[in-house]
Amino acid sequence: MHRLSQLLLPTEKQPPADAEALSHQLMVRAGLVRQLGSGLWSWLPAGWRIHQKVIAIIREEMDLSGAQEVSMPVLQPRELWEKTGRDHINELFKLEDRKGSPMVLALTHEEAMTHHVAQLVRSYRELPFTLYQVQLKERDEARPRAGILRTREFVMKDAYSFDRDEAGLDESYAQQTVAYARIYDRCGLQWYRVESDVGMMGGAGAHEYMAPCAAGEDEIVLADGYSANVEVASTTPEPAQYADPVGAPEAVSTPAAKTIDEVAAQLGVHASALLKAVVVVGPEGLVLVLVRGDDSVQDTKLENALGGKVRPANDAEIAKAIGPAGFLGPVGMVDPSTKVLLDRAVEDVEVIVGANRPDEHLKGVQHGRDFTAQRADVRLAKPTDTIDGKPVEIVPAIEIGNIFKLGTRYSDALGATFLDEDGARHSIVMGSYGIGPARIVAASAEQFGDERGIAWPAAIAPWQVHVAGLGKPGSEEAEAAEKLATTLSEAGFEVILDDRSGGAGAKLADAELIGAPLRLVIGRRTLERGEAEAQLRRGSVDLDAVSLADPVPAVRAHLASAP
């Protein structure tokens, strides 16, 4: 049992002025966390109880999956990261020790794990296995935001599977998929498993686990039987409304019309009849990217299509290779050899494009007849799209975990190999699996918070039962609350007792903020009846009163009904 009179729980009536996300507001107001610096957060006692309950669930499910727990340093030689080519990641903290040796603060542990496995594994007989740890990570986050959602230091559960072939990786991946589903279900979250981009991790495939909520920094595309991050989602747009064909490119005057909407208005056509031009500089130079006029380019898709990072081209680069900005198109470019990338959603029909001359566009331009281009899916999904004829929904979400099929990227770089039955040497095939406990906590606060506080899922709530006596210390109500809390604690329940001298309003308001699933309140009238009022925090559901003479059966039943 914990007593509020002795607990460091600095609740607040108002949220921080800079708090935008609901989880940020409520977790500070509930006294769960406090900020130390930009992207640096300290967990206070009640908040840490929640965090550790999430970790306990993660550990149980990792152990059940057959993974073995280890612990590896956050401070690592930079040499390992140089071998994998990840030492130049912007988010990686880089430093030197007193001897001048280059070091890094790990934001993930592929290098360390693979280094040890390379030293220890020799034969196929030693495979497969999965290692995991619950460890600090450091990330030089450019824009920390939303409280504990995007920070520069955080705890992460990261696991790594080591198999002899792709079939083994598929099996390990499936085992972790089952474990992840159990973890999120046990934590009480609404979540989706979505296809995702491999990003800086690399590898052959990846999935993210997303918790939908208003503060989410990502967007996911959902349809019946489909879910994907917007960075990789492939959807079908509404049919385009093309202009009447004219048989060949034909110049039309569009004075001072540089935007799609301005050109469409002057020519009396729908935006989808035009092609939008975006010019970037990629790994192989300047590229003219074309999408439907009513579409936008998705940056991650574009980088994947071009094989690396891109940046917007400047006006001088554009003018030198293509033409004047605002009137760009694939016909009549200054340098006809300029690479053109055409989105797959654009049909091989006549469209309207820039003429590469001021105040002029071309209608009747058709891919395959008037210009050639590389095809790729680079458009951003929209709410009006469909997948296999089914409407999509695009919702904001928090990433709460990810899994990657790394293949041999890290084992090749760090020499992690094994000998098969015939003595032939092969690279170990790897998978990587991460979960952010703090993100689960924040997602719970987002999904189950309201203007009064957070209605924590029962499995991760800081306490199961909140007992409040509405009388002053030493009153009959306070003594009854003390006895009730003691009885429940001795029966094995996690109890927080409000034994402070504050008024009823303050006590009940703090109970709402703290968010224990079951609240028991003893006032003068309930004490006369020998009862405590009972209420579930989620939905403020009033329950049958609990007998003070024998409270345990009723409390156990009430908690069983708590979500």
Side-chain angles (χ1 to χ4, degrees):
M1 180 175 70
H2 287 85
R3 299 172 183 272
L4 270 171
S5 64
Q6 301 172 5
L7 185 68
L8 179 61
L9 189 71
T11 57
E12 304 281 352
K13 292 183 179 180
Q14 299 298 326
D18 63 341
E20 297 178 358
L22 181 63
S23 58
H24 185 180
Q25 298 174 22
L26 293 178
M27 291 185 69
V28 171
R29 285 187 59 209
L32 308 181
V33 294
R34 283 296 184 271
Q35 189 169 10
L36 184 64
S38 177
L40 300 172
W41 287 83
S42 298
W43 293 82
L44 301 185
W48 193 240
R49 286 177 65 87
I50 300 167
H51 188 276
Q52 294 302 89
K53 285 191 173 186
V54 172
I55 288 178
I57 291 172
I58 291 171
R59 277 198 167 102
E60 288 175 9
E61 294 301 334
M62 284 295 101
D63 292 344
L64 186 63
S65 75
Q68 306 167 63
E69 186 170 6
V70 298
S71 180
M72 296 189 179
V74 178
L75 180 66
Q76 300 177 7
R78 184 168 176 172
E79 177 187 4
L80 295 177
W81 293 70
E82 291 172 345
K83 289 180 179 180
T84 61
R86 297 207 305 167
D87 60 311
H88 296 299
I89 294 173
N90 289 333
E91 292 79 11
L92 182 66
F93 277 106
K94 308 165 186 75
L95 66 156
E96 292 183 353
D97 65 14
R98 67 177 66 193
K99 297 179 181 179
S101 302
M103 311 292 287
V104 301
L105 298 177
L107 47 77
T108 182
H109 274 69
E110 280 78 6
E111 282 79 3
M113 290 278 186
T114 310
H115 170 75
H116 285 304
V117 169
Q119 294 178 321
L120 299 174
V121 172
R122 295 289 178 266
S123 166
Y124 71 94
R125 295 185 180 89
E126 299 167 272
L127 298 171
F129 58 86
T130 298
L131 304 177
Y132 83 95
Q133 64 174 349
V134 180
Q135 177 62 288
L136 277 175
K137 309 294 179 186
E138 307 289 341
R139 179 184 176 94
D140 193 4
E141 181 61 53
R143 291 175 295 277
R145 60 175 293 272
I148 63 169
L149 265 179
R150 186 172 288 279
T151 60
R152 298 202 292 171
E153 178 176 283
F154 52 93
V155 173
M156 187 169 82
K157 185 286 300 178
D158 49 327
Y160 304 89
S161 61
F162 299 88
D163 287 277
R164 58 182 295 177
D165 52 30
E166 294 292 337
L169 171 59
D170 289 343
E171 185 174 339
S172 296
Y173 201 80
Q175 289 173 343
Q176 293 303 307
T177 299
V178 171
Y180 273 44
R182 288 179 54 85
I183 288 167
Y184 298 127
D185 284 345
R186 288 183 60 185
C187 288
L189 284 177
Q190 179 188 0
W191 59 275
Y192 296 96
R193 176 176 178 260
V194 305
E195 298 175 18
S196 67
D197 180 56
V198 298
M200 68 177 180
M201 303 293 290
H207 289 84
E208 292 170 333
Y209 290 81
M210 294 289 195
C213 63
E217 72 270 75
D218 290 300
E219 287 188 318
I220 55 176
V221 179
L222 305 174
D224 185 17
Y226 180 88
S227 59
N229 191 302
V230 73
E231 294 179 341
V232 300
S234 183
T235 58
T236 302
E238 290 182 301
Q241 301 177 38
Y242 296 111
D244 293 334
V246 295
E250 179 181 314
V252 290
S253 177
T254 53
K258 293 185 177 182
T259 70
I260 292 293
D261 289 342
E262 290 170 346
V263 176
Q266 284 198 16
L267 300 182
V269 298
H270 191 268
S272 61
L274 288 82
L275 293 189
K276 181 183 295 181
V278 177
V279 187
V280 300
V281 177
E284 298 180 359
L286 189 135
V287 182
L288 173 64
V289 183
L290 300 172
V291 296
R292 266 176 41 170
D294 58 341
D295 277 336
S296 300
V297 173
Q298 210 294 318
D299 293 340
T300 300
K301 284 185 174 183
L302 177 60
E303 291 184 343
N304 288 339
L306 296 179
K309 294 292 184 181
V310 303
R311 64 167 176 84
N314 59 47
D315 287 350
E317 291 170 323
I318 295 171
K320 181 179 179 181
I322 304 174
F327 303 94
L328 302 176
V331 178
M333 295 186 291
V334 174
D335 180 359
S337 66
T338 300
K339 181 175 181 176
V340 180
L341 183 67
L342 181 65
D343 183 66
R344 288 201 184 108
V346 178
E347 300 175 69
D348 288 337
V349 299
E350 291 187 5
V351 292
I352 300 169
V353 300
N356 296 315
R357 295 184 295 271
D359 300 328
E360 197 170 290
H361 280 71
L362 295 177
K363 63 181 181 180
V365 173
Q366 182 173 323
H367 173 250
R369 184 189 71 191
D370 304 311
F371 73 97
T372 58
Q374 175 185 333
R375 287 279 198 171
D377 175 13
V378 295
R379 66 182 293 274
L380 177 67
K382 298 186 298 188
T384 54
D385 292 350
T386 59
I387 294 177
D388 295 331
K390 303 169 185 175
V392 306
E393 181 183 11
I394 300 178
V395 300
I398 295 171
E399 180 186 349
I400 51 175
N402 49 55
I403 56 179
F404 298 89
K405 290 185 175 182
L406 299 177
T408 62
R409 175 187 173 183
Y410 294 89
S411 53
D412 286 342
L414 295 166
T417 63
F418 69 96
L419 298 178
D420 67 13
E421 297 92 332
D422 300 320
R425 187 173 299 278
H426 304 276
S427 293
I428 296 174
V429 181
M430 293 176 56
S432 174
Y433 317 90
I435 287 180
R439 284 180 162 259
I440 291 178
V441 176
S444 297
E446 291 284 340
Q447 291 185 351
F448 308 118
D450 55 33
E451 69 280 359
R452 296 171 291 127
I454 308 167
W456 293 107
I460 65 172
W463 294 275
Q464 294 173 294
V465 186
H466 189 121
V467 177
L470 300 186
K472 297 179 180 180
S475 66
E476 292 183 357
E477 296 95 319
E479 291 179 356
E482 172 90 20
K483 182 178 180 181
L484 173 60
T486 301
T487 299
L488 295 178
S489 179
E490 291 175 349
F493 297 104
E494 297 176 342
V495 182
I496 180 73
L497 170 64
D498 193 341
D499 58 343
R500 300 172 300 175
S501 59
K507 290 186 175 184
L508 296 180
D510 278 355
E512 299 282 4
L513 272 175
I514 296 168
L518 178 63
R519 187 183 73 190
L520 302 179
V521 178
I522 299 176
R524 186 189 311 163
R525 293 180 181 177
T526 59
L527 182 58
E528 291 174 352
R529 297 194 300 268
E531 297 174 336
E533 290 182 352
Q535 186 182 79
L536 287 182
R537 173 63 179 86
R538 183 80 59 83
S540 299
V541 178
D542 291 328
L543 304 170
D544 292 338
V546 171
S547 168
L548 297 179
D550 186 19
V552 172
V555 167
R556 184 172 288 118
H558 289 337
L559 285 174
S561 68

